[in-house]
Amino acid sequence: MQEHILQIVYLIASITFIVGLKFLGNPATARRGNLIAAFGMGMAIFGTIFLFTTKEGNHLGNLGFIFVALIIGTIIGWMVAKKVKMTAMPEMVSLFNGMGGACAMLISVIEFQHLAHMGNSSLAPENITGHMLAIMLGLIIGSVSFAGSMVAWGKLSGNVKDKSFGKQQFINIGLLLVILVLGYMVVFGGSANAVTLFYFVLALSLLYGVLFVLPIGGADMPVVISLLNSFTGVAAACGGFLYDNKVMMVGGILVGSAGTLLTIVMCKAMNRSLINVLIGNFGGGSTNAAATSENFAGSVKEINASDAAILMRYAKKVIIVPGYGLAVAQAQHVVHDLELLLEAEGVEVKYAIHPVAGRMPGHMNVLLAESNVSYDKLVEMDEINPEFKSTDVVLVVGANDVVNPAAKSDPNSPIFGMPILEVEEATNVIVNKRSMKAGYAGIENELFYKPKTSMLFGDAKKALTQLVAEIKALG
Amino acid sequence: MLEFINQNIQLLYLVILMIFVGIELIGHVPSVLHTPLMSGANAIHGVVIIGSIIVMGQATELPALILGFFAVILGTLNVVGGFVVTDRMLEMFKKKK
């Protein structure tokens, strides 16, 4: 009886996951969607604790331990998630994703031990193979996802640097083959050393996760996190297969397929293929592109804050292009002050948001929304590009590659073909950067050398604060 | 092989259908919502916690108990952290008056 109720609970939870994901795809319903899925998750968890019965008809034991673990996890997860700064959101997602991967990995380890100890007594042979397959897949995918997410987390928070060595791609592929062969031997081989081999696979999978993410450039981390996210989904689904648990299967597969598609969509927004992100790295092209910088006509023109203030104060229309530099400097509040100030003087102000501004699609919207910038002032690339022609001043804050005209004009550039914000169409371009250093793609930007461009050097927050002060001084 | 597929045919149907549902759901999402969506999906795969609870509830030996204990903590982190972070992101999308 209780088992039957549990199945209905799982069914409802599965529906909440689907509806939740659907709602998450629309700005108006997104928040509700998240809460619906969270509610379903709660139902599934407590349903399992109280209603689950084993094949022998026993209820789950160790409830005390389970609740202690739940409470510890809830307190830590809640506090970390509440405390984290908005700029650090992407690495938080990566961290939590890694936790899920590790959870799947541990389940596989325990279940394997269980099977190894029990011998082949209670299950029919063909079931054992299916069981072992699910365990093995959960182990490999879960640990790759865990190790990879940890590296991605380290990279985004700046603790881990990009590292690659010669022939790394071959080593990675070789390693993956070894893992698959060993995994096959454990599942189908019936080898006497299965236990040793199993832990060997575990260690190699962790190593593979690290080597897989390590050479990928920091700018591509969102794509990698999205991919690892779908990996963890598949690992969860393996658990579902293991326990014949429908809600785990639905949740896992749903995230696996949605996450894979999301990864591809993100790649498209950057006009790159997934293979290109995973294997090709920008590093190789950078020396080439840097060498051509001497060919740029003109020189860099610097502007000080008071001149920039005059330019903007007496403009009719100003478009602000925020980039990662703004996020790093935590300048989203100052930029909002600047916007209000200019509007009070009768200047029309808009924000141009590139699909990959910041470090993740949508990242910049979240940041600016945090400082109360109105949602309808944030204009997406396709809509704003025709407007640059009629714009007096474009202020680029800490963005580089997304405004690089080389993406349109130079077929040799590594970012050629990436859609960009066409800021060079505007009458004046003011670029705030800390230095002339190249952007994330490691390539020079011709825009900075154009006659209509002037550079406002300095940390985004400091420079903008100065700018605000100067505009106020103009009265 | 054939037997294996036949025994699990229901699950296989479920897998195939869910793959298509997942693709349909993400089809036409504006790029501003990619990050919250990824974060929300991240929370949903926290459903793996169900597996860790089942394992933990049946564990009798100490190593399994300890590992299961950690698995439940990690799964809870994934679920709670995932949903709370997503909610915080989406909170920012409220229309300001």
Side-chain angles (χ1 to χ4, degrees):
Chain A
M1 180 60 192
Q2 287 190 334
E3 184 64 26
H4 295 185
I5 298 175
L6 181 59
Q7 290 309 323
I8 292 168
V9 170
Y10 282 165
L11 179 65
I12 296 171
S14 303
I15 296 171
T16 66
F17 292 167
I18 297 173
V19 174
L21 264 186
K22 177 77 194 161
F23 277 19
L24 271 169
N26 184 329
T29 53
R31 202 167 179 205
R32 219 177 331 145
N34 186 50
L35 293 178
I36 291 172
F39 177 74
M41 185 69 76
M43 272 179 65
I45 290 172
F46 287 103
T48 307
I49 293 175
F50 293 113
L51 300 172
F52 187 86
T53 43
T54 60
K55 283 193 198 78
E56 294 82 37
N58 298 325
H59 277 281
L60 290 177
N62 302 323
L63 287 189
F65 289 118
I66 292 178
F67 276 113
V68 172
L70 278 176
I71 291 166
I72 294 176
T74 305
I75 292 174
I76 299 177
W78 190 283
M79 276 177 23
V80 172
K82 277 282 178 197
K83 240 180 55 187
V84 63
K85 287 201 193 86
M86 270 298 156
T87 39
M89 280 302 169
E91 54 250 50
M92 263 308 117
V93 175
S94 183
L95 183 68
F96 291 132
N97 182 46
M99 298 296 111
C103 182
M105 174 181 88
L106 288 179
I107 292 174
S108 283
V109 171
I110 301 170
E111 282 297 326
F112 178 80
Q113 281 296 349
H114 191 60
L115 264 189
H117 279 282
M118 211 169 58
N120 296 354
S121 56
S122 75
L123 284 167
E126 65 267 22
N127 282 347
I128 294 225
T129 311
H131 236 70
M132 280 301 292
L133 193 63
I135 290 176
M136 189 47 75
L137 285 176
L139 178 85
I140 296 174
I141 302 170
S143 34
V144 168
S145 177
F146 165 59
S149 299
M150 288 301 115
V151 175
W153 172 61
K155 277 198 179 194
L156 282 172
S157 56
N159 296 321
V160 180
K161 298 270 168 296
D162 302 351
K163 278 194 191 74
S164 58
F165 42 87
K167 308 264 189 310
Q168 174 151 5
Q169 294 311 330
F170 296 102
I171 294 173
N172 279 5
I173 291 168
L175 191 58
L176 189 59
L177 284 177
V178 172
I179 291 171
L180 292 179
V181 168
L182 290 182
Y184 183 87
M185 283 165 67
V186 175
V187 176
F188 298 100
S191 152
N193 304 323
V195 178
T196 324
L197 283 181
F198 181 85
Y199 286 105
F200 216 61
V201 172
L202 171 61
L204 290 181
S205 301
L206 289 173
L207 179 65
Y208 179 76
V210 173
L211 291 181
F212 171 65
V213 179
L214 212 48
I216 300 173
D220 290 329
M221 267 315 119
V223 177
V224 175
I225 294 173
S226 178
L227 187 68
L228 292 172
N229 193 22
S230 63
F231 279 8
T232 313
V234 176
C238 290
F241 204 78
L242 192 58
Y243 299 115
D244 195 11
N245 186 307
K246 303 287 193 300
V247 75
M248 285 176 77
M249 299 219 54
V250 169
I253 300 285
L254 209 53
V255 175
S257 89
T260 308
L261 187 67
L262 191 57
T263 312
I264 295 169
V265 172
M266 279 176 162
C267 286
K268 270 203 191 127
M270 297 192 283
N271 201 33
R272 301 176 60 196
S273 71
L274 182 57
I275 303 288
N276 187 268
V277 169
L278 296 181
I279 293 179
N281 45 351
F282 270 147
S286 66
T287 43
N288 246 341
T292 60
S293 71
E294 288 136 33
N295 304 337
F296 290 155
S299 59
V300 175
K301 192 170 68 188
E302 220 184 312
I303 191 169
N304 59 28
S306 57
D307 289 344
I310 291 171
L311 211 53
M312 292 176 77
R313 159 73 177 78
Y314 295 104
K316 269 209 199 71
K317 184 170 173 184
V318 171
I319 294 181
I320 301 172
V321 179
Y324 190 62
L326 177 135
V328 169
Q330 296 275 321
Q332 62 268 38
H333 296 284
V334 194
V335 91
H336 182 52
D337 290 346
L338 178 68
E339 168 210 327
L340 291 179
L341 199 57
L342 287 172
E343 294 231 299
E345 304 288 349
V347 184
E348 185 188 356
V349 184
K350 280 181 179 168
Y351 294 86
I353 310 290
H354 191 272
V356 292
R359 279 296 175 266
M360 277 191 169
H363 190 193
M364 205 44 73
N365 305 61
V366 172
L367 275 180
L368 289 172
E370 185 199 6
S371 55
N372 288 332
V373 174
S374 155
Y375 189 66
D376 40 71
K377 281 208 174 308
L378 309 177
V379 191
E380 291 199 38
M381 180 175 63
D382 294 335
E383 262 176 79
I384 197 105
N385 265 343
E387 288 195 34
F388 281 116
K389 269 195 196 74
S390 58
T391 303
D392 304 302
V393 182
V394 170
L395 176 66
V396 179
V397 188
N400 190 343
D401 298 327
V402 297
V403 293
N404 192 338
K408 279 200 312 189
S409 59
D410 178 8
N412 295 321
S413 171
I415 60 165
F416 182 70
M418 181 173 96
I420 56 158
L421 292 164
E422 290 154 5
V423 296
E424 74 273 15
E425 304 275 334
T427 319
N428 290 291
V429 182
I430 302 173
V431 179
N432 167 241
K433 264 172 81 43
R434 274 194 303 196
S435 67
M436 279 307 288
K437 240 177 73 186
Y440 229 92
I443 49 176
E444 282 282 345
N445 195 336
E446 193 192 346
L447 177 74
F448 304 156
Y449 298 89
K450 295 220 162 158
K452 65 170 71 162
T453 309
S454 28
M455 307 295 293
L456 178 65
F457 287 115
D459 170 82
K461 195 170 185 174
K462 269 193 208 137
L464 290 182
T465 315
Q466 231 177 347
L467 203 53
V468 167
E470 291 288 351
I471 293 176
K472 273 189 188 145
L474 288 175
Chain B
M1 183 69 182
L2 214 59
E3 204 179 344
F4 180 77
I5 291 176
N6 266 294
Q7 270 180 353
N8 296 295
I9 195 73
Q10 280 193 346
L11 287 181
L12 290 176
Y13 269 102
L14 189 66
V15 169
I16 308 274
L17 288 176
M18 279 306 133
I19 289 175
F20 281 100
V21 171
I23 291 173
E24 275 309 305
L25 287 178
I26 306 299
H28 313 279
V29 174
S31 66
V32 289
L33 279 174
H34 282 172
T35 303
L37 194 64
M38 187 197 323
S39 182
N42 178 40
I44 289 176
H45 70 49
V47 74
V48 70
I49 190 183
I50 305 278
S52 68
I53 290 173
I54 295 175
V55 156
M56 181 73 183
Q58 300 179 17
T60 45
E61 286 156 64
L62 192 60
L65 265 175
I66 295 173
L67 288 180
F69 189 70
F70 279 110
V72 175
I73 292 182
L74 293 173
T76 318
L77 278 175
N78 187 178
V79 171
V80 175
F83 281 120
V84 174
V85 161
T86 313
D87 190 60
R88 271 193 62 193
M89 283 184 200
L90 294 171
E91 204 178 14
M92 307 299 169
F93 281 94
K94 274 188 307 202
K95 277 232 158 122
K96 301 287 176 340
K97 273 137 208 154

